[in-house]
Amino acid sequence: MPYTPDLDRLLMPGARFTDEHGAYLVEAHPLGDVVLPTGRVVGCDPLVVPEAEPYTVAVAPGRYPARAWVAVVLRADAEVDRRVAALELVISAEPTTRWEPAVVGDQDIADLGDDDYFGYGVDAGAGTLADPTALAALESWDEERIEDVFIPADLPASPVPGLITAVLDEVTGANVVTVATGWGDGCYGTWIGRTADGRVTSFVTDFMVVPA
């Protein structure tokens, strides 16, 4: 079967995971709203591939709360590190009863082999779930401006590693919220939650921090 994270367990404040390296205690942190003028959602490393395609599933245009699920790494019950385990864009507060992989373009889930998944590449250690409107604006920025906003010399103090929020399209208010992607660069998949009758509840990117 294709790789599917245990999101029902991961997206739970106080969830605890363990492996040979220690324990991971999950915290939920609100990140404010993400503005989706088009209702389309792109998962990407915005500092490297802002031109990434949106997922094939769209929602009604509007403002939706984002949430970071942070894994506090514990050794002997003391915090030694913290990593963003997942980034969630909450579409509805209704219960999620099932999850499906988010895909772009002509990606077909039937083509996935055992433990495979579709994901986006990260090369700058940053991930987002944003509207194409915001990312199109980012494409026009020069490198110096990108570094000033998204790679400041001193990151704002936050319990969420790598958290940066910036409005990129003043007309629509479309913004980008970035977080540090788990242990760093890699390829990370996004899953879509649905209610029992098929309505979208959330988009969640799994940064593969906690043990499977």
Side-chain angles (χ1 to χ4, degrees), residues 11 65-69 86-90 99 129 201-205:
L11 306 183
R67 187 182 294 144
W69 294 88
L87 176 63
E88 180 180 18
L89 184 60
V90 181
W99 297 95
L129 291 167
T201 57
S202 66
F203 293 76
V204 179
T205 304

Side-chain angles (χ1 to χ4, degrees), residues 110-184:
D111 294 335
L112 293 173
D114 288 347
D115 297 324
D116 289 343
Y117 62 96
F118 293 119
Y120 65 81
V122 171
D123 199 38
T128 194
L129 291 167
D131 193 278
T133 306
L135 296 166
L138 183 59
E139 285 187 73
S140 69
W141 287 19
D142 59 33
E143 188 173 336
E144 182 177 354
R145 188 179 181 190
I146 291 173
E147 288 186 0
D148 286 345
V149 173
F150 290 101
I151 317 174
D154 296 307
L155 278 169
S158 171
V160 179
L163 174 60
I164 297 287
T165 301
V167 175
L168 301 189
D169 184 73
E170 297 292 344
V171 174
T172 63
N175 60 340
V176 166
V177 177
T178 66
V179 295
T181 52
W183 301 112

Side-chain angles (χ1 to χ4, degrees), residues 7 76 84 91 106 125 176:
L7 295 176
V84 181
I91 307 302
D106 60 358
V176 166

Side-chain angles (χ1 to χ4, degrees), residues 5-194:
D6 187 354
L7 295 176
D8 293 330
R9 184 181 175 200
L10 174 59
L11 306 183
M12 185 177 295
R16 191 179 179 101
F17 300 78
T18 58
D19 65 11
E20 66 272 20
H21 303 296
Y24 307 81
L25 182 65
V26 176
E27 299 176 345
H29 293 276
L31 304 179
D33 288 347
V34 173
V35 178
L36 302 180
T38 69
R40 293 177 295 166
V41 179
V42 179
C44 69
D45 180 338
L47 309 185
V48 179
V49 192
E51 69 276 14
E53 287 185 76
Y55 297 120
T56 55
V57 172
V59 297
R63 305 175 67 95
Y64 297 97
R67 187 182 294 144
W69 294 88
V70 175
V72 179
V73 185
L74 305 171
R75 295 204 179 101
D77 288 329
E79 180 177 335
V80 296
D81 198 0
R82 55 178 47 229
R83 300 282 171 161
V84 181
L87 176 63
E88 180 180 18
L89 184 60
V90 181
I91 307 302
S92 166
E94 294 185 70
T96 299
T97 62
R98 62 185 173 89
W99 297 95
E100 65 188 45
V103 298
V104 303
D106 60 358
Q107 290 176 336
D108 187 341
I109 298 169
D111 294 335
L112 293 173
D114 288 347
D115 297 324
D116 289 343
Y117 62 96
F118 293 119
Y120 65 81
V122 171
D123 199 38
T128 194
L129 291 167
D131 193 278
T133 306
L135 296 166
L138 183 59
E139 285 187 73
S140 69
W141 287 19
D142 59 33
E143 188 173 336
E144 182 177 354
R145 188 179 181 190
I146 291 173
E147 288 186 0
D148 286 345
V149 173
F150 290 101
I151 317 174
D154 296 307
L155 278 169
S158 171
V160 179
L163 174 60
I164 297 287
T165 301
V167 175
L168 301 189
D169 184 73
E170 297 292 344
V171 174
T172 63
N175 60 340
V176 166
V177 177
T178 66
V179 295
T181 52
W183 301 112
D185 298 343
C187 181
Y188 300 106
T190 299
W191 280 261
I192 297 169
R194 292 191 183 271

